[in-house]
Amino acid sequence: MKRQPVTIKVAGVDTDLKSVLHRYVIDTLEDDQNNLLEGPRSQLSHFVGDKVHDYTRRRQMPISRYEVDRLTEELVDELTGFGPLEILLHDPSVTEILVNGPHRIFVERQGVLQQSDLRFMDDNHLLRVIQRILAPLGRRLDESSPMVDARLPDGSRVNAVIPPIALDGPCLSVRKFSQNMLSSNDLIASGSIDSQILEFFQLMVKKRCNVVISGGTGTGKTTMLNMLSQLINERERIVTIEDTAELQLKHSHVVRLETRPPNADGHGEVSARDLVRNALRMRPDRLILGEIRGIEVLDVLTAMNTGHDGSMTTVHANTAADSLLRLETLVGFTGMQMQSSTLRETICSAIDIIIQLARSAGGRRYVSEVLEVVGLRDGHYVTNTLFRAESGVGTGFVREASSMASDKLRHETLRGSFNAATSSAGASLNRTTHRHG
C-alpha cells in the first residue's frame, strides 16, 4: 500500500513534513562541524533521528514513533542518495527539474516553472549527487570533461555542467519522462489537437508519409512522436535512433538504437550518422530518428528518398517554414557541395508533412500548424497549410486547405468542413529565398 505523506500547516498551507524536515536537517548539518555525509551511515542516521525527534517534539506534533523512524530513514536515503532530488523524482506532478547551483532548484508542473524550497548543502553535496546519478551510466564528468548528457534507467534525460564552464556552481537538468504515454485521446482532451487533426494523422501514417515534427524546446516533440508511433501497423518493423532513448514504442517488432559518446580516451564514439547508415541495412519498414541535429541529416533525407517511406523525425525550429531552412543549414554542415536548387528538390522529395508544435505562456502544448510540402516553384518552397491553431485565447483549430496536394494524399478526403476562404494551397515561402538569396 502506498504511504501517505505527513503534512503540517506552514503559514496556513498544508506542506509535506518531509520537505520541511529536509531543509531543517540540511541547515543543522551546515552548522555541525563534523562532515557527517562522508562518515558511516549509522552516525548520520543517529544525527538525523535526533533532529527529527527534536523538531517534532518542540512543535508538539501528533506524530507516532513509527512515523518518526520512517521519516528519518527516508531523509537519510535522500542525503546519501540523490539528496533533495529524491522527493522531486518521486513526485508525479513534476515533469522537469532544473538545478542552478546548490541553493536554487526549479521544477516544472503542468508546463509552468516554479522555484522549490528544497536545496543542497553546498557545491560538493550537489557534485556528489550528480556523480551518483552518472556512476551506473558509465558517463564521465570532471574538469577535463565538464558537460555530460545521459539517461536514467526510467528514461529521464539528464544534463549536467560543472565549473569551470558553469560559473555559479554545478548545474543539473532532469527532464522526467512519463511512464504512461499520452494517447491520442489525451492530446485531444488537453487541447493539443482535435479530432480532425487526429483523423489526418491516422491517414498520414497509413499512407506512409515522411513526417518532420518541428518545435522549440519543451513543446512536446517526443510526446507527439510517441503518439504517432502508436498509429503504425503492428506488423511493420521499426528502427529507432536516439541520442538518449526516450521513445516508448509498444510494438513488438522494434529495434532501439542509441548513440554513444567517446570514452575518456576519445575513442568509441558511435554517432547518429553511423546508426542511420547501419539501420538501413536492418530492413526497416520505418525509420524513426529522435532528432535531426547534425550531419546525419543527409543520410536521413537519402533514406526517405530511397524506399523508406513513413519515416519520422523531429527538428528544432520556431515555425514550419524555419524547419525547412534548418534542414538546409544542417546539410551545409556535412561539407557536401550541392546547388541550392538540387538541395531543395531533395528536401521536397523527402519530406511530405511538417507538424509544427508550440507552447503557450500558460504551459499548454499544442499543434500550431500542419504543413504539406508540395514542391518547388521558381526555386521557392510550395506548401499547403492543412491546419492551424486559432489565434487569440481560444484552443480551437482551423482547417485551412480545401484539398491535399501531395502525391500520397492528393486523392484522399477527410470528414468535416474547410475554411476555404482562408485556403493557402500553393503558398510560396518567400522567407526561405530571402535567407538563401
Side-chain angles (χ1 to χ4, degrees), residues 313-330:
T313 188
T314 73
V315 68
H316 273 79
N318 291 327
T319 67
D322 284 348
S323 68
L324 295 171
L325 297 176
R326 174 72 171 157
L327 293 176
E328 289 189 35
T329 302
L330 291 175

Side-chain angles (χ1 to χ4, degrees), residues 1 76 195 223 250 260-261 304 349 359 380 400 404 428:
M1 184 174 66
V76 172
S195 58
T223 299
K250 299 302 182 182
R260 186 176 68 186
M304 291 179 172
S349 298
R359 178 176 173 176
H380 302 175
E400 285 272 320
M404 292 172 282
S428 176

Side-chain angles (χ1 to χ4, degrees), residues 3 18 22 25-26 29 36-37 40-49 52 68-90 120 125 128-129 132-133:
R3 293 171 173 172
K18 189 165 68 171
H22 188 281
V25 169
I26 284 183
L29 278 171
L36 295 175
L37 291 179
R41 180 185 174 93
S42 58
Q43 187 177 356
L44 178 63
S45 181
H46 181 74
F47 176 88
V48 173
V52 171
V68 169
D69 291 342
R70 193 195 85 188
L71 284 168
T72 299
E73 188 68 18
E74 291 180 357
L75 286 168
V76 172
D77 286 343
E78 291 167 9
L79 290 169
T80 58
F82 293 163
L85 299 185
E86 288 279 0
I87 299 174
L88 302 176
L89 288 171
H90 291 93
F120 293 87
H125 185 200
R128 281 195 296 271
V129 169
R132 289 191 192 110
I133 292 174

Side-chain angles (χ1 to χ4, degrees), residues 356-369:
Q356 183 66 35
L357 304 180
R359 178 176 173 176
S360 69
R364 170 180 166 248
R365 298 172 173 90
Y366 61 96
V367 172
S368 62
E369 187 178 13

Side-chain angles (χ1 to χ4, degrees), residues 334-346:
T334 66
M336 176 170 289
Q337 300 298 320
M338 186 183 300
Q339 289 187 352
S340 176
S341 58
T342 304
L343 173 57
R344 293 182 182 183
E345 286 283 1
T346 301

Side-chain angles (χ1 to χ4, degrees), residues 158-416:
V158 176
N159 179 271
V161 291
I162 63 173
I165 64 171
L167 302 182
D168 298 322
C171 296
L172 177 71
S173 303
V174 180
R175 177 172 293 181
K176 294 170 63 178
F177 201 68
S178 174
Q179 297 301 313
N180 300 316
M181 286 192 306
L182 293 180
S183 66
S184 55
N185 290 333
D186 294 326
L187 294 183
I188 291 176
S190 65
S192 297
I193 60 175
D194 65 6
S195 58
Q196 282 196 54
I197 293 179
L198 174 60
E199 182 189 354
F200 171 74
F201 285 170
Q202 292 169 333
L203 176 64
M204 170 189 77
V205 173
K206 179 182 177 182
K207 292 297 182 179
R208 302 183 64 83
C209 292
N210 292 322
V211 180
V212 171
I213 300 171
S214 170
T217 300
T219 53
K221 295 186 295 297
T222 302
T223 299
M224 180 62 65
L225 198 56
N226 260 324
M227 191 279 288
L228 293 179
S229 73
Q230 298 175 37
L231 306 178
I232 298 175
N233 193 300
E234 285 283 348
R235 294 191 296 271
E236 296 188 42
R237 176 176 171 84
I238 304 171
V239 178
T240 69
I241 299 170
E242 300 173 85
D243 284 329
T244 52
E246 295 180 289
L247 295 174
Q248 295 179 323
L249 277 68
K250 299 302 182 182
H251 295 65
S252 58
H253 204 173
V254 175
V255 178
R256 303 170 69 220
L257 305 178
E258 186 179 52
T259 61
R260 186 176 68 186
N263 59 24
D265 299 323
H267 303 296
E269 179 181 12
V270 180
S271 68
R273 188 175 197 179
D274 297 329
L275 294 180
V276 170
R277 290 180 172 182
N278 187 77
L280 298 180
R281 305 185 184 102
M282 301 176 70
R283 198 212 166 275
D285 289 314
R286 294 182 193 254
L287 187 65
I288 299 180
L289 184 64
E291 180 184 346
I292 293 180
R293 62 175 68 183
I295 60 175
E296 70 276 2
V297 59
L298 199 56
D299 298 279
V300 174
L301 293 174
T302 301
M304 291 179 172
N305 274 319
T306 54
H308 294 86
D309 289 344
S311 296
M312 304 176 187
T313 188
T314 73
V315 68
H316 273 79
N318 291 327
T319 67
D322 284 348
S323 68
L324 295 171
L325 297 176
R326 174 72 171 157
L327 293 176
E328 289 189 35
T329 302
L330 291 175
V331 170
F333 290 162
T334 66
M336 176 170 289
Q337 300 298 320
M338 186 183 300
Q339 289 187 352
S340 176
S341 58
T342 304
L343 173 57
R344 293 182 182 183
E345 286 283 1
T346 301
I347 292 175
C348 287
S349 298
I351 307 300
D352 298 307
I353 300 294
I354 299 173
I355 301 171
Q356 183 66 35
L357 304 180
R359 178 176 173 176
S360 69
R364 170 180 166 248
R365 298 172 173 90
Y366 61 96
V367 172
S368 62
E369 187 178 13
V370 179
L371 194 73
E372 192 179 22
V373 181
V374 180
L376 288 180
R377 180 184 300 155
D378 299 327
H380 302 175
Y381 288 112
V382 179
T383 64
N384 189 22
T385 301
L386 301 177
F387 300 91
R388 64 171 174 83
E390 283 185 311
S391 58
V393 296
T395 59
F397 299 90
V398 175
R399 181 100 170 258
E400 285 272 320
S402 58
S403 63
M404 292 172 282
S406 68
D407 291 338
K408 295 177 182 176
L409 300 172
R410 183 174 298 160
H411 303 296
E412 300 295 332
T413 58
L414 296 173
R415 294 188 300 272

Side-chain angles (χ1 to χ4, degrees), residues 85 97-107 113-115 118-120 122-123 126 130 159 161 166-174:
L85 299 185
I97 305 168
L98 306 172
V99 182
N100 303 343
H103 304 310
R104 295 192 301 276
I105 300 177
F106 295 83
V107 298
L113 282 175
Q114 52 192 252
Q115 187 166 3
L118 300 173
R119 65 183 179 89
F120 293 87
D122 50 30
D123 284 357
L126 176 52
I130 294 175
N159 179 271
V161 291
L167 302 182
D168 298 322
C171 296
L172 177 71
S173 303
V174 180

